[in-house]
Amino acid sequence: MEFLNNKAIYLQLADHLCLGILQDEYKEDERIPSVREFAASVEVNANTAVRAYEWLQQQDIIYTRRGLGYFVTPGAREHIRQMRRSAFLDEELPALFQNMCALGIEIGEIEQQWNAFQEKKS
């Protein structure tokens, strides 16, 4: 896994696990890899993986079953979507609008690109 410089590694690890949940790699009430397994798979220190798992627990995305490991919280998928949607609307979209204004891009151009993207998905 390659890491960005502008975001803490443990948050990038948490994002990676969240993406796995969104893509149904990990389903609700299913076990996720142990901290050690995960740390080894992404080649990071286990302490960094622990921080990611702790953050995910604080966000109510995963939970522990004593002696069994970590599991995906029921409703985690929708919770992740809502968190990411809020972050996109509050943080990324304003930056996008600023770039559009600076580059003279009209909303109609974005709509055309969006429609072309949707057609390719179908």
Side-chain angles (χ1 to χ4, degrees), residues 17 21 25-32 60-63 65 70-77 80:
L17 285 167
I21 293 168
E25 183 179 339
Y26 308 114
K27 296 181 182 356
E28 293 182 357
D29 278 324
E30 263 188 14
R31 185 180 174 279
I32 62 172
D60 202 27
I61 294 169
I62 63 172
Y63 66 96
R65 287 187 187 161
Y70 291 92
F71 292 77
V72 177
T73 302
R77 191 171 193 207
I80 293 165

Side-chain angles (χ1 to χ4, degrees), residues 54-122:
E54 287 173 348
W55 186 87
L56 290 167
Q57 277 188 288
Q58 291 169 355
Q59 302 305 311
D60 202 27
I61 294 169
I62 63 172
Y63 66 96
T64 58
R65 287 187 187 161
R66 190 176 195 111
L68 297 176
Y70 291 92
F71 292 77
V72 177
T73 302
R77 191 171 193 207
E78 189 56 35
H79 182 60
I80 293 165
R81 277 192 179 133
Q82 290 302 319
M83 286 173 44
R84 287 188 170 194
R85 180 181 167 86
S86 292
F88 176 79
L89 293 173
D90 295 342
E91 299 163 18
E92 294 179 43
L93 199 55
L96 175 68
F97 288 156
Q98 188 175 28
N99 281 331
M100 287 173 61
C101 288
L103 298 172
I105 298 172
E106 297 294 324
I107 197 72
E109 293 177 69
I110 300 299
E111 188 174 7
Q112 287 174 343
Q113 293 291 323
W114 174 254
N115 291 336
F117 174 77
Q118 289 296 336
E119 287 177 21
K120 286 181 189 176
K121 277 181 42 178
S122 302

